[in-house]
Amino acid sequence: MTINKNVSLKPFNTFGIDTIAASFCDITSVEDLKAVLKENHSSPLFILGGGSNMLLTQDVNALVLHINLKGIEVISETKNTVIVKAMAGENWHDFVLWCLDQNYGGIENLSLIPGNIGTAPIQNIGAYGIELKDVFVSCEAINISDQTSKKFTKSDCSFGYRESIFKQDLKGQYIITSINLELTKVNHKLRVDYGAIKTELEASNIHNPTIKDISNVVIAIRQRKLPDPKYIGNSGSFFKNPIISATQFSKLQDNFPEAPCYKISDTEIKVPAGWLIEKAGFKGKRFKDYGVHDQQALVLVNYGHAKGNDIYELAKLIQKTVKRLFNISIETEVNII
Ligand code: EPU
């Protein structure tokens, strides 16, 4: 296990922002993780997973621990279901493809979400009507201060929309090392009712879709709407969709009868931030090397050599404008470092 000094973080964040880590250690085993935590207990630490949900606005004056733990295994199975364990450093989408190859169902709607396994529970990743919590059984994590292992069950994690206990009460206290998911082997519960999945399947003349068909459709939709970080730096949705009261939504509808929404409850409505940002005139706007994606206004992009701070200033301008025009606050989903 080597600790390197002054390492560029550009290859380690999907925004492709070039800032420097004071020191950097690639972690490939849980034992190494515990040892490095023990040896460096007084140093500031920065835990890095897939780097797909952060915007670096400055150099990281800390020891960066790059969680690169690998491995996927079946823990147990019944006639109909299987419990699969995946280590934190596995790429999420590669894991989805592995599950599809085994014909394990439950996460096909979550195809092509950037990032690694270890960060998936932190923000309870979700797309097309499914969230990680729907298949989540438990995760293992290491307590940073005393290096003990702890198992968190689904209820321990307090999952919500892009939320979990790891972003709230336990923020910065644990490093997730693996997750266990319960997936189906037969009688897959397909979710085709969300977004464009159904129309896309119909257009492809698929009437009895398999989990692989659904994954392919989700991949096609995402590739059309979301920029690939390999070519254009981005962190997926930069903002969360705001949840407002039904009363406030009906006021919005007075001015914008076409406003899209998802009903959360009788009193709460989720409004797509992408729609608000588009209405505010930002969709496709480019400022030098950064801007707002032209297919999905929820996504901010780095076209080349943007500075994290430029993108952060743009994000603040968007938040201010949306607040002024609609009286709705939109929060960032991405972590600003
Ligand atoms: N919309 C616009 N303009 C835009 C973008 C969206 O008017 O530029 C409208 C669409 O017309 C649609 C509505 O907003 O009526 C919703 O759009 P979409 O289905 O693309 O979903 P979203 O709410 O923008 C959420 C997730 C995505 C996830 C999709 C599909 C959040 C913050 N984002 O986006 O997650 O892929 O649903 O389930 O909840 C991510 O977290 O990185 C991510 C991409």
Side-chain angles (χ1 to χ4, degrees):
M1 170 181 58
T2 331
I3 295 182
N4 293 306
K5 296 280 175 209
N6 298 324
V7 173
S8 167
L9 292 173
K10 191 173 162 81
F12 298 102
N13 72 101
T14 59
F15 249 123
I17 304 287
D18 195 5
T19 64
I20 303 293
S23 41
F24 183 98
C25 183
D26 195 51
I27 302 288
T28 54
S29 77
V30 174
E31 291 67 39
D32 281 358
L33 176 60
K34 287 184 177 177
V36 91
L37 286 173
K38 203 167 177 183
E39 282 160 26
N40 296 278
H41 61 93
S42 55
S43 318
L45 297 173
F46 181 93
I47 313 306
L48 176 67
S52 65
N53 204 39
M54 62 184 201
L55 176 66
L56 293 164
T57 62
Q58 55 190 320
D59 287 341
V60 178
N61 200 7
L63 168 59
V64 173
L65 300 182
H66 180 230
I67 307 303
N68 204 7
L69 305 166
K70 298 287 190 195
I72 300 174
E73 63 178 310
V74 169
I75 296 291
S76 64
E77 53 190 313
T78 64
K79 205 165 103 236
N80 299 329
T81 60
V82 60
I83 307 279
V84 182
K85 174 178 177 177
M87 298 302 288
E90 290 287 344
N91 172 271
W92 172 263
H93 181 61
D94 289 346
F95 172 67
V96 173
L97 295 180
W98 181 89
C99 291
L100 289 168
D101 279 347
Q102 326 297 314
N103 194 35
Y104 297 158
I107 50 175
E108 53 283 354
N109 295 43
L110 304 181
S111 296
L112 216 60
I113 293 187
N116 286 357
I117 290 285
T119 36
I122 298 179
Q123 60 154 340
N124 181 26
I125 58 169
Y128 301 104
I130 297 283
E131 290 182 333
L132 183 75
K133 74 169 168 54
D134 301 328
V135 291
F136 185 92
V137 177
S138 63
C139 65
E140 289 282 335
I142 305 290
N143 184 323
I144 292 177
S145 55
D146 66 9
Q147 298 91 50
T148 51
S149 303
K150 182 169 157 68
K151 181 175 174 169
F152 290 88
T153 63
K154 174 147 87 179
S155 66
D156 293 336
C157 293
S158 309
F159 288 125
Y161 166 59
R162 298 293 195 277
E163 277 300 346
S164 76
I165 195 152
F166 303 108
K167 277 175 93 173
Q168 301 291 339
D169 296 359
L170 299 183
K171 190 173 173 159
Q173 294 183 38
Y174 281 88
I175 298 174
I176 294 169
T177 51
S178 68
I179 67 175
N180 284 3
L181 302 182
E182 183 175 41
L183 303 172
T184 49
K185 293 186 349 186
V186 289
N187 305 326
H188 303 305
K189 298 184 204 87
L190 306 183
R191 282 295 307 265
V192 295
D193 48 331
Y194 192 97
I197 295 186
K198 208 184 245 166
T199 38
E200 192 91 7
L201 286 168
E202 279 162 10
S204 310
N205 244 324
I206 299 171
H207 302 293
N208 289 308
T210 61
I211 49 176
K212 187 90 188 141
D213 291 329
I214 293 184
S215 169
N216 287 337
V217 160
V218 168
I219 290 172
I221 300 170
R222 288 187 74 103
Q223 281 176 336
R224 252 196 332 260
K225 288 209 297 200
L226 298 167
D228 184 339
K230 262 192 237 143
Y231 307 105
I232 302 179
N234 77 90
S235 261
S237 303
F238 196 92
F239 301 98
K240 290 197 227 181
N241 289 331
I243 297 170
I244 61 175
S245 71
T247 327
Q248 196 181 357
F249 183 68
S250 83
K251 276 188 207 146
L252 182 71
Q253 272 186 318
D254 290 343
N255 294 325
F256 303 98
E258 77 284 12
C261 64
Y262 313 107
K263 191 173 167 184
I264 303 278
S265 68
D266 285 343
T267 54
E268 284 183 315
I269 309 277
K270 188 151 85 177
V271 184
W275 181 83
L276 296 167
I277 297 166
E278 180 173 346
K279 277 278 163 199
F282 285 101
K283 190 171 184 170
K285 273 258 155 69
R286 181 170 175 165
F287 309 82
K288 297 183 203 142
D289 245 4
Y290 59 97
V292 179
H293 189 52
D294 57 358
Q295 299 299 314
Q296 167 55 289
L298 199 50
V299 178
L300 304 190
V301 290
N302 171 11
Y303 289 108
H305 303 285
K307 297 268 176 260
N309 262 322
D310 293 338
I311 296 174
Y312 188 37
E313 286 305 319
L314 172 60
K316 287 196 279 197
L317 176 66
I318 291 173
Q319 284 172 316
K320 229 164 75 187
T321 312
V322 166
K323 177 77 183 166
R324 179 168 53 76
L325 294 176
F326 306 104
N327 195 27
I328 294 176
S329 302
I330 52 173
E331 281 174 36
T332 61
E333 186 198 292
V334 165
N335 296 312
I336 314 291
I337 310 296

